[in-house]
Amino acid sequence: MFKLSPEPLDVMAYVQELRTFSDGAFVSFAGWVRDHHQDRPVKALEYQALVPLCESEAAKIIKEAQEQFGKIRAICFHRTGLLSVGEMSVWVGVSAPHRDEAFKACRYIIDELKKRLPIWKKEIFTDGHSHWVNVPQDDIGPTCKR
């Protein structure tokens, strides 16, 4: 399961969804908005995303993780909109029969989400300046009219 949301999500509810009597391991990754980037103070981040593409690609990533690491269950979400320093921007949770599969699957999922999902991040600095991060010129990015 994957979800994009402008609102904070209830991580503990997702943890309970992943909990089963057949799984002995649970691993999660959480990413928060930090207060700096390359020695510049950050005030906030803004995320924009292409929802249908994110959802379909995330489903592929979770399926790939299941094929590679066995009987795992995964839930992940990514925030959209304006986030303040300290807010959670991304979360991945994985349950599996054993810890090795859970760790590997969680790492795979977050790494692939970051590489493949059309989610764009704008850093907003305390001095009022801002810029979009890692948006290729030919990408269908946040300022594109397509």
Side-chain angles (χ1 to χ4, degrees):
M1 181 177 107
F2 175 78
K3 182 172 174 107
L4 286 165
S5 174
E7 300 298 322
L9 299 175
D10 185 355
V11 171
M12 291 313 296
Y14 290 139
V15 170
Q16 290 306 314
E17 263 186 70
L18 289 170
R19 188 173 181 162
T20 68
F21 292 122
S22 61
D23 289 338
F26 168 76
V27 173
S28 69
F29 170 84
W32 296 295
V33 177
R34 63 178 173 259
D35 66 357
H36 68 283
H37 178 74
Q38 296 178 343
D39 298 325
R40 289 185 71 185
V42 169
K43 176 182 174 182
L45 298 179
E46 179 184 342
Y47 288 98
Q48 291 184 17
L50 291 177
V51 176
L53 270 129
C54 284
E55 290 172 344
S56 66
E57 195 63 25
K60 289 178 194 173
I61 292 167
I62 292 169
K63 185 177 181 196
E64 291 166 6
Q66 291 167 332
E67 289 167 356
Q68 288 183 50
F69 306 109
K71 192 177 177 182
I72 63 126
R73 298 179 59 213
I75 297 175
C76 43
F77 71 79
H78 202 294
R79 295 282 305 282
T80 57
L82 190 64
L83 279 68
S84 299
V85 169
E87 287 190 78
M88 188 180 300
S89 58
V90 62
W91 184 85
V92 176
V94 175
S95 65
H98 304 283
R99 70 179 174 271
D100 191 47
E101 294 91 349
F103 275 111
K104 287 177 180 176
C106 189
R107 177 66 182 250
Y108 178 82
I109 291 168
I110 187 60
D111 286 350
E112 292 301 309
L113 290 175
K114 298 300 268 180
K115 280 187 229 172
R116 294 165 44 185
L117 264 55
I119 298 174
W120 300 279
K121 174 174 75 173
K122 180 168 56 171
E123 294 177 323
I124 303 164
F125 299 103
T126 57
D127 65 6
H129 290 91
S130 65
H131 75 275
W132 290 97
V133 178
N134 298 330
V135 179
Q137 289 286 53
D138 62 345
D139 201 354
I140 301 173
T143 58
C144 185
K145 301 270 188 232
R146 287 190 260 169

